[in-house]
Amino acid sequence: MATNPNEKRAARQRKSDRNMNRAVILLTAGLVAEWYLLMADRYYARGEVKQVVAWYDYFGVMRWIGLAVLIAGVVLLAQRAKKSWFAPAGAALAGVGGFFAFTSEAMRHVYPTSVTVMCVFIPVVLILCIIYLFYQAEFSVQATALAMALFALVLLSRSGTGVVKFCAVIAILGVLALLACTLVLKKNGGVLKLGKTSQRVFPANMDYRLTLGVLALCLVLVAVALAAATTAFYATWALAVLAFALAVYYTIKLM
């Protein structure tokens, strides 16, 4: 039986509205989180001694409060079949709790670098979420790999310490994981199979060459920069230009 075009149009509109609502919620939460981190940067990372001590004690309390809220959110998500509002409430609590638990612990133990890093991290995550909601799935994968690679390259261009090299290795492992998942999805025709359930991730007629090429390029550039830090600056600009070109390309495809 043929699907009514009006029904397909209505389904697309509902999905668009749902994604728009999610984007507004994410942007609002991101702005609040960024304001919170900027306050921490002003009064904790660059504050006076009394302010630093007060914020340090505050983070010590907030990490446990955040952990408790995170656990409550996970419990609600586990019980989401019982009540319809458990899922959104659980996701919100888990997100808020995880944010405060992670940031508080990080800012207590990695001072003051963690504050600056997270001030940059939040906008990047927001951009990736917007891409996930409104763009093609393949661009989401490419953008995630580019973000990890650019993060590692920026760090490598500024410092060659053990911590920075460890972050670069983590970025390489993350891109490798995306590459492995993409190859598995290619083998399955773009369908993710988990036991008896399956979910289409990529279109059936998708050309995987561009995605695989971007992932491979990210791997090569980070690996080369890890071996020769002098190349990190140029690799950063190369990936930045590529990210802009891909954003333009996939935006045009949406039209």
Side-chain angles (χ1 to χ4, degrees), residues 57-110:
D57 294 337
Y58 162 77
F59 290 138
V61 175
M62 285 305 299
R63 61 179 174 176
W64 296 113
I65 294 176
L67 181 61
V69 174
L70 171 61
I71 293 173
V74 172
V75 171
L76 285 180
L77 285 173
Q79 301 295 323
R80 61 185 180 275
K82 295 183 178 180
K83 297 285 186 179
S84 60
W85 58 271
F86 276 13
L93 288 175
V96 172
F99 170 79
F100 280 107
F102 174 77
T103 56
S104 298
E105 188 69 13
M107 286 189 280
R108 277 173 61 91
H109 290 89
V110 188

Side-chain angles (χ1 to χ4, degrees), residues 135-217:
Y135 282 80
Q136 300 87 342
E138 57 267 32
F139 185 38
S140 299
V141 174
Q142 296 168 19
T144 303
L146 286 166
M148 290 190 289
L150 283 169
F151 177 74
L153 289 171
V154 169
L155 291 179
L156 287 169
S157 67
R158 294 174 177 269
S159 174
T161 61
V163 174
V164 168
K165 290 182 178 180
F166 175 76
C167 291
V169 172
I170 294 298
I172 290 175
L173 293 176
V175 177
L176 277 174
L178 287 175
L179 180 60
C181 292
T182 302
L183 290 173
V184 171
L185 287 169
K186 180 182 179 182
K187 182 179 179 181
N188 295 334
V191 176
L192 176 64
K193 296 179 180 179
L194 296 173
K196 296 181 179 180
T197 61
S198 61
Q199 176 67 43
R200 175 160 295 282
V201 178
F202 295 139
N205 58 346
M206 173 181 159
D207 187 348
Y208 288 83
R209 288 176 297 179
L210 179 57
T211 300
L212 293 175
V214 171
L215 296 178
L217 181 62

